[in-house]
Amino acid sequence: MGNSRDKPFILVSSVTYAMKSRDLLFKQGIKAYVERVPPTASSGCGYGVYVPQGADEAERLLKENGIKVLGRTSWGEPL
């Protein structure tokens, strides 16, 4: 953690929810990008939303808007 390779990801249940999450966050002024992550039991289909800044706020907004968040990870950390 803490190096330039760390990328905060919010894991969601499908690519559809990843795209909805990205759009919702952009409307709230938070940059977010849909990216593929290695599929695991916790990450489902293997898609997440990369949030360069404000991951805590982004996760809160998603939950408040009915998007099920499966968890969070960072690129470089095991899923």
Side-chain angles (χ1 to χ4, degrees):
M1 295 272 297
N3 69 36
S4 62
R5 289 185 52 213
D6 291 339
K7 294 173 67 174
F9 281 92
I10 298 172
L11 304 173
V12 293
S13 60
S14 69
V15 67
T16 301
Y17 277 108
M19 290 187 292
K20 287 181 181 183
S21 298
R22 176 200 60 204
D23 294 346
L24 171 72
L25 294 173
F26 265 114
K27 287 179 185 175
Q28 297 296 318
I30 298 173
K31 291 181 182 177
Y33 307 92
V34 174
E35 291 197 22
R36 188 126 169 85
V37 294
T40 67
S42 64
S43 68
C45 69
Y47 282 92
V49 182
Y50 164 48
V51 183
Q53 296 180 336
D56 291 336
E57 181 182 357
E59 183 176 349
R60 180 185 57 78
L61 285 167
L62 295 179
K63 289 178 178 178
E64 286 177 358
N65 285 277
I67 295 176
K68 184 179 179 184
V69 173
L70 300 178
R72 281 189 24 200
T73 191
S74 291
W75 197 261
E77 286 185 3
L79 295 176

